[in-house]
Amino acid sequence: MTTPALPPARRRADRLASADESITAWALAARGGDSVAVDRFVRALHRDVIRYVAHLCADPQAVDDLAQDTFLRALGSLHRFEGRSSARSWLLSIARRAVADSLRRTAVRPRRADVPDWELAAELAQPPGLPGFDDGVVLLELLAGLPDERREAFVLTQLLGVTYAEAAELSDCPVGTVRSRVARARATLIALLAEAEEPVPAVSPALAAA
């Protein structure tokens, strides 16, 4: 009897769960001073941290500094990590606090002018599986139009692969609230994509010549 293939969503969830187990094991080994485990832990989650803070932070110039701050905080707190949650969820919670602290600091300083380096942050934050950079930028622009809470819930669960339960813990809200935010974010994005794909009405020669 042929075993039915698992649906793509289930296969992806299984891969993420397996990866999280490995990353959590590396974090626990790193806590004991294993330098190889430290390197693997940082490399495995560096891109996720970059993408997460890029979506939370209003200043693209600060993304790299916030990611570095996140890992410095995490490595300094590894002795307190006991593996009760996944290392990914634990690290993203630290990233969230790092961004919040940065926003509080910048709130009391004059705001800097916009800079052209937003493209670098957009490229680093581009989710996997997209055909190219332009598509990634389009998605980022659409996400930027969502309310903060819905954007964060969508990024965590749909782009970073965090479970709804872990996203709820990170956001300090019920799981049902996270599901609702994701559903509303997805509906908004679908509507915006459909609107963007509508053909532009042709202009008649008479109007064009007017």
Side-chain angles (χ1 to χ4, degrees), residues 72-160:
L72 288 174
R73 293 185 186 203
L75 295 177
S77 304
L78 267 177
H79 62 283
R80 293 198 295 269
F81 177 66
E82 299 179 352
R84 294 178 181 175
S85 62
S86 72
R88 185 194 305 271
S89 176
W90 175 74
L91 185 63
L92 292 179
S93 69
I94 293 175
R96 195 174 195 266
R97 289 195 297 273
V99 173
D101 290 345
S102 175
L103 292 175
R104 280 193 290 269
R105 288 193 298 269
T106 35
V108 298
R109 295 201 303 264
R111 186 174 181 179
R112 293 187 295 177
D114 291 337
V115 292
D117 290 339
W118 66 270
E119 293 183 1
L120 174 60
E123 183 176 10
L124 291 171
Q126 181 174 337
L130 290 176
F133 173 75
D134 290 341
D135 292 330
V137 172
V138 169
L139 178 58
L140 289 173
E141 290 176 348
L142 295 178
L143 284 170
L146 296 175
D148 292 345
E149 293 176 342
R150 295 182 192 176
R151 182 173 65 250
E152 182 183 15
F154 186 89
V155 169
L156 283 170
T157 60
Q158 307 305 302
L159 300 187
L160 300 185

